[in-house]
Amino acid sequence: MTRELRWDGLRVSIPDGMEPAVLDRGFIRLSRPDHGLGTGGGQAGSLELRFGPEKSPFNPDRDGRRLLKACGLPEATFVRVGPSRPDAPVFWAAPEKAPRLFAVRMSGGMAALLFQAPPPPHVLQAALASLDLTPPDAWRSWRCFDLSFETPPGAILGRASFKPGSFRLEFRLAGGGLTFDRFVPADVILGAAGVEAWLARFLGREYGAGMIVTPQGPGQASFASHVPAWRRVLPWFPAGPERIRGRARHDAETNRILMVTAQGSSLPAADFERVCSTYAATDIQG
C-alpha cells in the first residue's frame, strides 16, 4: 500500500519503515524509529525535506552553493540528473558519488531532499516520483498522522502541535484564522456526557462566556460567539476579528473528537462548509 504524506502543499510517498518525526512550515523530517539514526542495513535512517514555491529558476551554481553549505556539504557540487520523461521533475544530485542530497524542481516549486545516507535506488525513485507541490493560493489537501482535511486558498500554517491525545493545527487567513483540533480517546474525554455538554465546558475554558452551542445531530454540535444586540440592528456591519464559529463531532468509529474553529469574517460560508466536511480521521496509508 502507498503511504502518502501531504503537508503544507507537498505530497510525498513515505519510505517503508519511516514515519513523520518533525512537521513544520515548509519542512518535513521522516525517521526510522526502529533504527534510530543508523542506516539500518543499507536503509536511509532519516530524510529531511525543505520545500516551497519557486521564487526564481533554480541555479545550481548560485542557489546550489547555499543549499550545499546549509546541508553540511560545502565541498560537493550538484550534477543534473534526468528527467527520463518530459513531464518528470528535474533534479540535481550531490555529491556526485553516492549522492544523498537532491534538489528537485516541480511545476509548483522546489524541494530539497537530504538523506542521512545514500538511499537505495527504489526508495529514491519512489520519493521523487511522488513529489508534487500545491501553491498556497489554491485549495490544499493535508494527510498527516491520522488526519486529513483541506485548507482554503491563502491559508498559511502558523503552528502545529502534536501532543499525546491532543493535536492542534493553526492557520492564518486574511482577517482571521482557522484551527483544527483532534482529541483522543473520545470515550474517556466525553464520559457519560455528549459532545454538546463537553463542547460547552471546553469553549468556556478557551473563550469564557458568550459562546452558543447548538446540537447538530447525534455526536455533532456547532458553536458560535454570541451576537450582540447592536449586530441584530446593524447586521451589515463587519463582524471583526472577534467572530468565532465552528463545529465538533464525535467520530465513534475511530474514537476521536474532531473540531474546526474559524475566527474572523474572511472565510465564506461555502468554504467553511467544505473545510468541515473534509476534516476526517484517517490514516496516511491509502
Side-chain angles (χ1 to χ4, degrees):
M1 297 178 70
T2 301
R3 303 177 65 244
E4 185 178 77
L5 174 66
R6 298 185 183 186
W7 180 260
D8 204 19
L10 187 75
R11 183 183 67 194
V12 62
S13 291
I14 301 177
D16 289 339
M18 284 190 172
E19 63 182 36
V22 178
L23 297 173
D24 205 344
R25 184 178 175 186
F27 178 79
I28 295 170
R29 177 180 293 138
L30 305 175
S31 67
R32 194 178 298 278
D34 55 337
H35 292 90
L37 294 178
T39 59
Q43 296 178 320
S46 67
L47 166 60
E48 293 186 359
L49 301 96
R50 299 179 185 274
F51 51 92
E54 189 178 34
K55 297 179 180 179
S56 61
F58 179 78
N59 185 309
D61 295 323
R62 179 195 63 213
D63 309 307
R65 298 313 309 169
R66 294 194 296 267
L67 179 58
L68 289 164
K69 185 176 180 180
C71 292
L73 300 169
E75 304 302 323
T77 57
F78 271 118
V79 177
R80 179 164 173 165
V81 182
S84 57
R85 308 188 318 271
D87 59 339
V90 179
F91 67 97
W92 294 260
E96 187 171 356
K97 294 183 178 179
R100 59 188 187 90
L101 173 63
F102 303 87
V104 186
R105 186 180 184 187
M106 303 162 285
S107 59
M110 287 291 302
L113 290 73
L114 177 63
F115 291 85
Q116 184 186 18
H122 71 279
V123 171
L124 176 62
Q125 291 171 6
L128 293 177
S130 69
L131 286 179
D132 183 49
L133 186 62
T134 303
D137 59 353
W139 279 89
R140 282 180 162 180
S141 174
W142 300 68
R143 290 171 62 92
C144 52
F145 294 115
D146 58 0
L147 300 177
S148 68
F149 56 93
E150 292 183 3
T151 53
I156 302 299
L157 178 65
R159 187 173 73 94
S161 173
F162 299 102
K163 298 178 181 178
S166 176
F167 289 178
R168 170 169 285 193
L169 291 94
E170 301 175 358
F171 295 84
R172 298 190 300 271
L173 282 169
L178 190 62
T179 302
F180 296 84
D181 283 293
R182 182 279 258 164
F183 305 98
V184 296
D187 55 354
V188 175
I189 296 171
L190 295 176
V195 169
E196 184 181 351
W198 168 83
L199 185 58
R201 295 195 302 269
F202 177 85
L203 295 173
R205 294 192 301 268
E206 289 285 305
Y207 304 106
M211 299 297 292
I212 301 173
V213 178
T214 306
Q216 297 288 319
Q220 300 185 56
S222 64
F223 59 93
S225 51
H226 177 70
V227 179
W230 63 265
R231 177 160 303 287
R232 292 192 289 268
V233 178
L234 302 172
W236 47 266
F237 199 80
E242 76 282 355
R243 182 189 179 194
I244 298 172
R245 55 184 163 146
R247 291 192 190 158
R249 76 177 186 273
H250 174 204
D251 189 326
E253 183 177 354
T254 61
N255 200 25
R256 288 158 171 75
I257 299 173
L258 304 178
M259 184 167 69
V260 177
T261 305
Q263 187 167 356
S265 58
S266 61
L267 188 64
D271 290 353
F272 178 69
E273 291 294 331
R274 177 172 175 176
V275 168
C276 292
S277 66
T278 60
Y279 189 30
T282 182
D283 193 290
I284 56 175
Q285 291 186 342

